[in-house]
Amino acid sequence: MNSQFTIAVHCLIVLAKAPEHVWNSESLSLKVHTHPARVRKIMSALRKSGLVETKEGLGGGYRMGCDPHECTLACIYQSISCDPLKLSWCSAGCEQDLEFDKIQTIMDFAFAGAERSLEEYLGQWSIASLLTRLNKSSEERPEQVSQQKIPFAVRMKEEIERHINKIGGEG
């Protein structure tokens, strides 16, 4: 998995938030903070998978090509990634090594299991569910959000200092 997956998810969230809007690569790249050429490459993969639709010509761009409730992170992952967990470490001459072939087969089997587990987990999350979480977090009161951003140790230190001051003030 690489940053293309995260960019793809971010782009799809932007598209799902404004389903009637058509986003060109430049405006979308500003929202996801990456280069428009990178956005075009990622959106091309998403279009091939049917997750995104394109409109050609003046005023053209991208829009959701599927239902955000059915667009899971697993679908996005499958659209963007190709053998991301399958590692290759073979140098020249390893093709004739029988033991190497056996180890490669075992490792491929292990990585395939990890890949299935990852896709199963990602299948539990849809663009719609991420939007719901996003909306809930933006509805929180500012003091709740700012309190969450303060590290736990700092909050505890402040709480202890308040408690000490309270005790010291009573004596």
Side-chain angles (χ1 to χ4, degrees):
M1 187 178 307
N2 58 31
S3 60
Q4 289 184 358
F5 174 74
T6 304
I7 294 167
V9 171
H10 194 162
C11 287
L12 288 169
I13 287 172
V14 170
L15 297 179
K17 283 177 75 171
E20 300 304 316
H21 187 77
V22 177
W23 294 82
N24 63 33
S25 58
E26 288 78 21
S27 60
L28 204 49
S29 72
L30 291 173
K31 293 293 274 185
V32 299
H33 305 281
T34 195
H35 196 276
R38 195 161 190 215
V39 168
R40 285 189 291 275
K41 179 181 177 184
I42 292 167
M43 298 306 277
S44 174
L46 296 176
R47 182 184 56 76
K48 288 176 185 173
S49 299
L51 301 178
V52 168
E53 293 177 349
T54 56
K55 179 182 174 196
E56 300 294 326
L58 188 62
Y62 308 98
R63 65 177 159 237
M64 281 300 282
C66 62
D67 181 349
H69 292 90
E70 294 176 13
C71 181
T72 67
L73 295 185
C75 295
I76 300 164
Y77 179 74
Q78 292 163 354
S79 299
I80 296 298
S81 305
C82 11
D83 296 330
L85 295 181
K86 185 177 180 179
L87 303 177
S88 177
W89 66 90
C90 181
S91 301
C94 65
E95 298 84 18
Q96 292 90 21
D97 186 341
L98 185 58
E99 183 178 345
F100 179 87
D101 287 343
K102 290 178 182 178
I103 292 171
Q104 179 75 42
T105 301
I106 292 167
M107 293 304 295
D108 287 348
F109 178 76
F111 287 134
E115 186 84 20
R116 283 190 304 275
S117 295
L118 177 61
E119 288 181 12
E120 184 178 309
Y121 175 77
L122 292 175
Q124 299 172 24
W125 296 90
S126 68
I127 291 297
S129 67
L130 293 177
L131 270 173
T132 300
R133 288 184 68 94
L134 182 65
N135 291 334
K136 282 183 183 178
S137 69
S138 63
E139 291 172 0
E140 292 177 337
R141 296 187 314 222
E143 61 271 11
Q144 287 176 319
V145 173
S146 64
Q147 186 70 357
Q148 290 171 358
K149 290 182 180 178
I150 299 172
F152 178 75
V154 173
R155 290 195 318 259
M156 288 307 298
K157 180 179 177 265
E158 291 171 355
E159 185 65 30
I160 291 168
E161 287 173 353
R162 275 196 295 276
H163 186 66
I164 290 171
N165 288 338
K166 183 178 175 184
I167 293 171
E170 291 177 352

